[in-house]
Amino acid sequence: MHPVLIDFFGKFSLHTYGLMIALGFMIGMQLGVREAKRIDQSEKGDFDQFITDLTFWILVAAIVGSRVLFVIVEWDRYASDPMKILKFWEGGLVFYGGFIGAVLFSVYYCYRHGRNFFLVADTLIPSVALGHFFGRIGCLAAGCCWGVEVSPDFPFGIQFPDGALIHSSMERTGQIAPGAEFTPHVHAVQLYESFGELMIFFVLLFVRSMKRFHGQALLTYLFIYPILRTSLEFVRGDKARGQYEVLGQLVSTSQIISVIVATIALVLLVFLVQRKSRAAALTPSTV
């Protein structure tokens, strides 16, 4: 793994995590703007410009929200050096915090500018999945969001070198000796989720092309992603996000959020599809 991609004479470092975040944002924004141009039917014809402006603020809101949650759960890491809080490009973002922050800001921004939030959400949600794909590659490079330990002969096991976040965490908790060259083998959870997000991206493109109402692609994502996240949480090794016992089973904060989000999304999907079907059945056919 290479947390630092390029070191410019010790004065400036290009972190792989930050580069992947930037790539995901730029590619996702371009896809969103392209879709906005395709569906733009407003008199002003400025939907693509609206999406361009919104995506910039979404990036800010997502980074702030995801960073705030990470710092809260890892406060002991930053208490002695609060300036590290600003170094988000080195890793340390919580996806659900960023997603919630982005959604709340988008609702406000759409309301302020008189736009249909669900149309905007359907326009951008495939880009979210694709951006998350790049983000998890960045997580792999930074050594955050790691998996539980596995045997050395496990086919999808990986080790992280000194300098990765998992390495520092294992040193603090005594799981490895200070100065150890590598961590034990762990699940490549970052790659699992990255592949899953790429598959979700293609599913969302299909749903968006066939949707029957605004918000269908968004709700599809809010149902599928939590299933992926809940499954992967069982092999996540970074437990700082909190664990709770539910019905005799330890579950993480993300799993609890995922179950709630997926349930609400499924109920809304079924209700809206049925309502659309009833409305179509009551509409007189024309000859």
Side-chain angles (χ1 to χ4, degrees):
M1 305 304 110
H2 298 280
V4 178
L5 193 62
I6 302 175
D7 187 5
F8 296 96
F9 309 106
K11 301 296 184 179
F12 174 76
S13 298
L14 177 60
H15 290 263
T16 308
Y17 185 87
L19 177 62
M20 290 297 103
I21 293 292
L23 280 176
F25 170 73
M26 289 187 294
I27 295 174
M29 182 182 70
Q30 290 302 314
L31 289 176
V33 170
R34 181 178 178 180
E35 174 66 9
K37 289 181 177 178
R38 187 188 69 83
I39 65 176
D40 195 351
Q41 297 178 353
S42 67
E43 295 180 1
K44 296 181 181 179
D46 60 351
F47 191 37
D48 57 327
Q49 185 59 52
F50 172 82
I51 292 296
T52 301
D53 296 340
L54 174 60
T55 50
F56 170 78
W57 293 110
I58 283 178
L59 175 64
V60 175
I63 290 177
V64 171
S66 57
R67 188 61 169 176
V68 166
L69 282 185
F70 184 83
V71 170
I72 289 174
V73 299
E74 290 279 337
W75 176 245
D76 57 337
R77 179 185 302 181
Y78 299 97
S80 60
D81 188 4
M83 289 303 296
K84 287 185 177 180
I85 294 175
L86 302 178
K87 299 180 179 180
F88 63 89
W89 55 84
E90 295 181 2
L93 302 175
V94 178
F95 173 75
Y96 268 129
F99 185 77
I100 292 172
V103 168
L104 291 178
F105 179 82
S106 297
V107 171
Y108 159 76
Y109 197 81
C110 289
Y111 172 78
R112 180 180 176 184
H113 291 271
R115 298 286 183 174
N116 185 322
F117 166 74
F118 292 106
L119 172 60
V120 171
D122 282 354
T123 302
L124 290 175
I125 199 62
S127 297
V128 172
L130 188 62
H132 207 172
F133 161 79
F134 283 101
R136 285 308 183 199
I137 298 297
C139 289
L140 181 70
C144 62
C145 308
W146 60 87
V148 297
E149 188 173 345
V150 295
S151 62
D153 58 349
F154 183 73
F156 301 110
I158 56 176
Q159 292 178 284
F160 290 87
D162 191 8
L165 290 177
I166 177 179
H167 194 285
S168 301
S169 177
M170 286 188 168
E171 280 188 343
R172 290 198 309 270
T173 57
Q175 295 174 269
I176 58 175
E181 186 176 2
F182 291 100
T183 67
H185 289 78
V186 295
H187 271 289
V189 178
Q190 305 95 329
L191 289 181
Y192 304 164
E193 187 164 354
S194 185
F195 176 77
E197 289 287 357
L198 189 59
M199 296 301 101
I200 291 175
F201 167 70
F202 289 115
V203 169
L204 293 177
L205 288 181
F206 173 76
V207 171
R208 191 175 65 184
S209 68
M210 304 291 291
K211 71 176 186 178
R212 303 173 63 185
F213 55 87
H214 295 324
Q216 187 170 352
L218 171 65
L219 291 174
T220 300
Y221 174 81
L222 293 178
F223 175 67
I224 297 178
Y225 174 71
I227 295 176
L228 172 67
R229 183 61 181 266
T230 298
S231 302
L232 293 178
E233 284 290 308
F234 289 111
V235 291
R236 283 278 290 264
D238 53 330
K239 304 301 183 184
R241 293 156 296 116
Q243 286 188 307
Y244 310 91
E245 185 173 343
V246 178
L247 300 177
Q249 174 70 49
L250 283 178
V251 297
S252 70
T253 303
S254 294
Q255 285 175 313
I256 295 174
I257 295 174
S258 293
V259 170
I260 294 173
V261 170
T263 301
I264 294 174
L266 179 60
V267 170
L268 287 175
L269 270 173
V270 172
F271 170 76
L272 292 174
V273 168
Q274 289 181 342
R275 188 177 72 172
K276 190 69 176 181
S277 298
R278 289 195 296 268
L282 293 175
T283 302
S285 59
T286 57
V287 179

